[in-house]
Amino acid sequence: MEPAELQFMNFPDAPPPPPSAAYSHAVRAGELLFVTGQLGVDPKTNRLVEGGVAEQAHQVMRNLQVVLRGAGTSLDRTTMARIFLVNFAADFPVVNAVYASYFAAGRYPARTTVGVTNLALGAAVEIDLIVRP
């Protein structure tokens, strides 16, 4: 059995990887798309959005949508999401509500949410995805 080809993808409308980080926005491997974790970075300014964790979470979801559109798919094809929160206790309810608002009720991906000590750029939230396009 021959291994599936890998397709490494970057999209100009998504926040670019910083020079110090070597990654693609997404990698297609067979029937799955692995989407790099997105931060609440505005692609126009390459800076975290202001307004706290809720606005960062919305920007994360918008950034994920940009990557998925570029790959020819959408959030509703997500099979697994991982959410990383710096302040788990305080931010979980807010981020959970924002995240859930991007999916049809009852059609939520499998998910893991964890508390972490720090995220790049001082972000409060990061989300990555596994999608079946």
Side-chain angles (χ1 to χ4, degrees), residues 90-102:
D91 293 345
F92 179 84
V94 173
V95 172
N96 189 56
V98 169
Y99 169 87
S101 74
Y102 285 82

Side-chain angles (χ1 to χ4, degrees), residues 36-122:
T36 294
Q38 293 291 308
L39 302 173
V41 172
D42 181 334
K44 293 178 182 134
T45 65
N46 289 326
R47 296 189 145 150
L48 283 175
V49 295
E50 295 182 11
V53 71
E55 189 50 45
Q56 281 189 38
H58 278 292
Q59 187 63 53
V60 165
M61 297 305 292
R62 290 190 292 265
N63 291 344
L64 289 167
Q65 288 175 317
V66 166
V67 171
L68 293 173
R69 259 193 314 274
T73 191
S74 60
L75 280 173
D76 65 342
R77 301 293 297 165
T78 302
T79 59
M80 179 69 184
R82 290 181 295 200
I83 301 176
F84 305 91
L85 298 173
V86 172
N87 190 344
F88 190 96
D91 293 345
F92 179 84
V94 173
V95 172
N96 189 56
V98 169
Y99 169 87
S101 74
Y102 285 82
F103 296 94
R107 295 200 40 93
Y108 303 116
R111 187 176 100 186
T112 299
T113 306
V114 297
V116 297
T117 56
N118 203 359
L119 291 169
L121 306 178

Side-chain angles (χ1 to χ4, degrees), residues 6-12 14 17 23-30 32-36 38 67-73 133:
L6 299 179
Q7 182 182 6
F8 300 90
M9 299 181 259
N10 281 296
F11 306 101
Y23 64 83
S24 299
H25 286 128
V27 175
R28 188 181 308 269
L32 294 176
L33 182 71
F34 297 85
V35 180
T36 294
Q38 293 291 308
V67 171
L68 293 173
R69 259 193 314 274
T73 191

